[in-house]
Amino acid sequence: MADSPSPSRSSSPPVLLLVDFQRGFDDPGWGTRNNLDAEDAALRLLDAWREAGAPVVHVRHDSTEDDSPLRGDRPGFAFKDGFDPREGEPEFVKRVNGAFVDTDLEAWLRDGDHEAVVVCGLTTDHCVSTTARMAENRGFDVTVARDATATFDRSLDRDPFDADLVHRTALAQLDGEFAAIRSSDELLAALEADS
């Protein structure tokens, strides 16, 4: 069980890990989404991390599904506005939910002696959650930015679950077990205090 990691626990700033901020998630086929301000919160974090000279990593999903808007050969594979990597910011392309599967992300983190990550992105219950869980399982200190992630409605056995409930439930499952859950304001304050 995670012992309530925090971005200030490591001696160096945590890595900001931006997961799947791609245009394909604007496709109406995903359904109704919660937290339409997630991108704005993530861009605030990105701006602050860059200004502080703290490490930033970008992850994109290249889907293997024929009809997915996130396929590498579709316009939806592109980053959303403002999320393109800058020089020196690595990008890792994944084919499954977890950013550590068949990528060099773990090696990059270990080679740089990075012990902590702040995860944000799309979607809360899929790629964000899977990446956060895998990071914690590999011994990294993990924080998820609660307002810089979002998801869509889901259903099971014809029972609908609205996007906000799915989002909050996914965060609750991570909290204290796999990650600390913080707001972008809390993360920005912690980064400023460590600078």
Side-chain angles (χ1 to χ4, degrees):
M1 181 166 152
D3 51 353
S4 298
S6 70
S8 60
R9 187 170 146 187
S10 174
S11 58
S12 61
V15 174
L16 181 64
L17 185 55
L18 300 151
V19 178
D20 298 354
F21 281 111
Q22 294 169 253
R23 294 181 183 176
F25 278 114
D26 296 333
D27 189 295
W30 296 104
T32 303
R33 189 186 124 170
N34 79 316
N35 192 16
L36 299 179
D37 296 324
E39 286 85 351
D40 290 340
L43 287 172
R44 286 177 59 222
L45 293 172
L46 179 56
D47 288 345
W49 251 252
R50 285 172 169 167
E51 187 175 326
V56 174
V57 168
H58 304 262
V59 175
R60 261 196 297 186
H61 191 78
D62 182 4
S63 179
T64 59
E65 297 176 17
D66 290 338
D67 59 349
S68 173
L70 300 175
R71 286 179 58 93
D73 58 358
R74 302 271 170 85
F77 181 68
F79 287 105
K80 288 174 172 272
D81 289 344
F83 287 97
D84 287 297
R86 289 186 180 172
E87 186 176 348
E89 296 175 354
E91 175 193 351
F92 298 95
V93 177
K94 61 183 178 59
R95 305 291 292 227
V96 295
N97 296 72
F100 289 89
V101 177
D102 295 329
T103 72
D104 292 326
L105 174 58
E106 182 175 4
W108 183 88
L109 290 168
R110 298 209 186 281
D111 288 348
D113 292 325
H114 300 295
E115 299 175 358
V117 293
V118 170
V119 184
C120 57
L122 303 171
T123 59
T124 318
D125 51 329
H126 286 176
C127 296
V128 170
S129 177
T130 304
T131 297
R133 289 167 184 257
M134 294 181 79
E136 192 279 337
N137 285 172
R138 285 162 171 75
F140 296 101
D141 293 333
V142 184
T143 302
V144 173
R146 67 187 308 147
D147 56 338
T149 184
T151 193
F152 299 90
D153 290 350
R154 310 285 183 203
S155 64
L156 178 66
D157 301 328
R158 298 184 186 169
D159 290 331
F161 302 92
D162 71 72
D164 197 54
L165 176 63
V166 175
H167 172 80
R168 290 178 56 78
T169 302
L171 293 175
Q173 291 168 350
L174 294 173
D175 187 28
E177 183 73 22
F178 297 99
I181 308 301
R182 302 285 183 262
S183 70
S184 57
D185 285 344
E186 290 173 308
L187 292 166
L188 290 168
L191 182 66
E192 184 176 349
D194 289 345
S195 297

